[in-house]
Amino acid sequence: MTQKRKTYDTAFKRQAVALSKGRKNLSELARELGIKPYLLYSWRKEFKEFGEGSFPGNGNLKLSPEQERIHELEKKLRDVELEHEVLKKAVAIFSKTDR
């Protein structure tokens, strides 16, 4: 038999991280919460790195605010470059004269 993997919602993870800030013995806190200690350590690390952007859910990117801004700007740049190419082709097509 295969074991089903447990999933924890964002609110639980954030609450566990908040509780861990005031505790010295994280393994004991993990036992009280019913989770493995390595999970608590990894959640703390993720929260420290990404802050409020932590624990986004499946399929979403974990980005810091700066990374998120860069991602948006890169997307806008790709869109503008594509639009520029289309306009160049359109100018080339419409500037041709029939001979």
Side-chain angles (χ1 to χ4, degrees), residues 6-23 25-44 55:
K6 287 186 181 179
T7 56
Y8 301 96
D9 65 343
T10 303
F12 179 81
K13 292 177 183 180
R14 287 179 194 239
Q15 189 174 19
V17 169
L19 288 172
S20 71
K21 290 181 181 179
R23 302 286 288 266
N25 190 344
L26 296 181
S27 296
E28 183 179 314
L29 175 62
R31 274 194 302 278
E32 290 173 11
L33 295 173
I35 60 174
K36 301 281 184 185
Y38 74 88
L39 280 176
L40 187 55
Y41 284 102
S42 67
W43 293 345
R44 285 171 47 109
F55 323 121

Side-chain angles (χ1 to χ4, degrees), residues 2-97:
T2 59
Q3 291 182 338
K4 186 171 180 178
R5 189 173 174 181
K6 287 186 181 179
T7 56
Y8 301 96
D9 65 343
T10 303
F12 179 81
K13 292 177 183 180
R14 287 179 194 239
Q15 189 174 19
V17 169
L19 288 172
S20 71
K21 290 181 181 179
R23 302 286 288 266
K24 290 185 180 180
N25 190 344
L26 296 181
S27 296
E28 183 179 314
L29 175 62
R31 274 194 302 278
E32 290 173 11
L33 295 173
I35 60 174
K36 301 281 184 185
Y38 74 88
L39 280 176
L40 187 55
Y41 284 102
S42 67
W43 293 345
R44 285 171 47 109
K45 181 180 177 184
E46 183 176 332
F47 190 79
K48 183 178 180 182
E49 185 175 348
F50 297 106
E52 292 300 318
S54 302
F55 323 121
N58 293 337
N60 298 322
L61 298 175
K62 291 185 259 188
L63 302 175
S64 67
E66 295 84 18
Q67 290 171 327
E68 196 170 301
R69 178 80 173 134
I70 291 169
H71 187 71
E72 286 176 23
L73 291 173
E74 287 174 342
K75 184 179 182 311
K76 285 181 182 179
L77 178 61
R78 283 192 305 271
D79 292 345
V80 168
E81 287 173 341
L82 180 62
E83 184 178 323
H84 182 256
E85 289 298 316
V86 169
L87 290 174
K88 278 179 24 180
K89 289 178 183 177
V91 166
I93 290 170
F94 290 118
S95 66
K96 287 183 181 178
T97 57

